Amino acid sequence: MLKDATGFKKIYIAAGKTDLRKGMDSLAAIISLQFQLEPYETDILFLFCGSTRRLIKGLVWEGDGFVLLSKRLQDGVFQWPRDGQEVMDLTQKQFSDLMNGLSIVSTIRTAQPRYLC
């Protein structure tokens, strides 16, 4: 499911490190309080990455409850942006690139990320 995100209206990633011991309610609180976004909007994917960058968690509101997704890489790590505690709005292409190992960075909250060369 996390290789193809075409069913989502928006995809947000939380740059920096997130404590992935947190569950659905704690991640929803981060979305609401820290990033000033609405976690209870349907078809929005919020992604979080831990300190080892081998595991990501996704949170989606389906109208009647949250779905918590996780993906752990067997080999390698996600090239997750570590600069600050901001949220980034990704396009479908950028999401696909991130899932395929490309690095993305941004210095502005909800800005379109730029690629590292």
Side-chain angles (χ1 to χ4, degrees), residues 3-90:
K3 280 216 178 247
D4 178 21
T6 55
F8 297 107
K9 292 186 289 191
K10 285 195 173 243
I11 304 165
Y12 292 104
I13 64 171
K17 301 173 188 174
T18 302
D19 180 356
L20 294 186
R21 295 175 293 181
K22 296 183 182 301
M24 292 181 222
D25 295 329
S26 296
L27 293 174
I30 290 172
I31 294 165
S32 179
L33 300 174
Q34 185 175 335
F35 300 133
Q36 307 295 309
L37 294 171
E38 178 56 58
Y40 299 100
E41 190 174 337
T42 59
D43 300 324
I44 305 290
L45 174 62
F46 295 95
L47 294 172
F48 303 87
C49 188
S51 59
T52 65
R53 297 185 300 152
R54 291 189 64 214
L55 177 69
I56 60 171
K57 280 190 175 180
L59 188 67
V60 178
W61 176 255
E62 288 197 326
D64 60 353
F66 283 113
V67 173
L68 185 64
L69 309 164
S70 66
K71 180 172 184 169
R72 184 181 67 215
L73 294 178
Q74 185 68 26
D75 296 311
V77 295
F78 290 101
Q79 300 303 310
W80 202 263
R82 291 296 192 193
D83 55 339
Q85 293 296 314
E86 62 184 355
V87 64
M88 296 167 55
D89 183 358
L90 298 183

Side-chain angles (χ1 to χ4, degrees), residues 83-116:
D83 55 339
Q85 293 296 314
E86 62 184 355
V87 64
M88 296 167 55
D89 183 358
L90 298 183
T91 65
Q92 296 289 336
K93 170 89 168 82
Q94 291 163 331
F95 171 81
S96 176
D97 289 346
L98 180 65
M99 293 298 114
N100 287 311
L102 295 177
S103 297
I104 54 176
V105 294
S106 174
T107 57
I108 302 172
R109 183 181 183 273
T110 67
Q112 292 298 318
R114 53 189 156 87
Y115 295 97
L116 290 176

